[in-house]
Amino acid sequence: RMANVVVPIKRSVEPLDLTPSLQENLPAQVFHFKDVDREFFLVGTAHVSPESVRDVVKTIELVKPDTILIELCSDRRMILSDDASAQFKASKEMSFAEILEKMKTDRTSALQLCLGKFYKKVGDQLDVFPGEEFRAAANAGQALGCRVVFGDRRASITLARAWAKLSTFRRLHLLAYFVYSLIVVDLFGVKKEDIEKLKSADALDEMLEELGSSFPQLFQVLKTERDLVMAYKLRHCQGQRIVGVYGLGHIKGIMDSFYEDIDIAELESVPSAAVEKKSVLGRMVKTVAILGVISFFVYKRFRHNAP
């Protein structure tokens, strides 16, 4: 006789009963839920969208939280500095030779410098630099006396875990995508309306599904694991009324994982296979390769809009 098997029921978050004022005025890309007596408001953003910046500031001013979590880490804290915009503009004009030299002399993060190159074509056509919504969130929070907390895993750990999961062939495949993405951007460019499409859940789902199909190991580290880490940090942060600012593609994963039993120590560890000699060129290749595959899938979604 077979024993009864008890299948645990996955607990889901419960939506808040909003006041009429919040219900009417919160931006469309704000997702809210409660956990006992705590209230959560998650703002889904597109990282190069001026509209997202306005959504974040408006939400914080309406909600008046005591804690704000942002999709940043200590490796990317430069985004919050007062001269972040100037640094971004300077880095996107640097040649790769200049980037290598700066990494040698200043020990500057490869991620920080390559992000400038990565977003050059996009940033040239927009009035906002990538991640501006996080700086806006921090400034709005400080004006209200809120606690501002990093809510993501360190980028260096994410990149190391992603790189360790890829074979030599798949690493070369990533580099090929990076080169291709540069060609696509140079030929077609990107329109402001295309960037706003990144705030569409359907467009993001399709893009993430395509990324997962082509690079499942990368998808696991960049998307699934980070959703778990951000859900853990959100659930365990201090405060009764909390605003989280995340890329729209992470919102569903964070909410679905909120009550999961998450092994945060494992998710924030670097596999032994990833511990290797950290040459400047090696750090550069790893960073641009992984950023390159992301850029490819973003631009691939919208290249049909070219004139």
Side-chain angles (χ1 to χ4, degrees), residues 39-43 56 59-60 63-70 234 241-246:
E39 300 178 344
F40 295 86
F41 300 81
L42 309 188
V43 189
V56 167
T59 300
I60 291 171
V63 171
K64 294 179 174 53
D66 43 33
T67 302
I68 299 172
L69 266 77
I70 52 179
L234 181 66
R241 204 169 219 209
I242 298 159
V243 167
V245 182
Y246 307 100

Side-chain angles (χ1 to χ4, degrees), residues 25 27 30 43 45 49-62 127-128 132-133 136-137 196 199:
N25 293 299
V30 175
V43 189
T45 71
S49 166
E51 185 64 30
S52 287
V53 177
R54 291 189 285 271
D55 287 350
V56 167
V57 173
K58 183 177 182 179
T59 300
I60 291 171
E61 290 176 346
L62 286 170
D127 299 324
V128 60
E132 172 68 19
E133 76 270 27
E196 286 304 314
K199 295 174 71 175

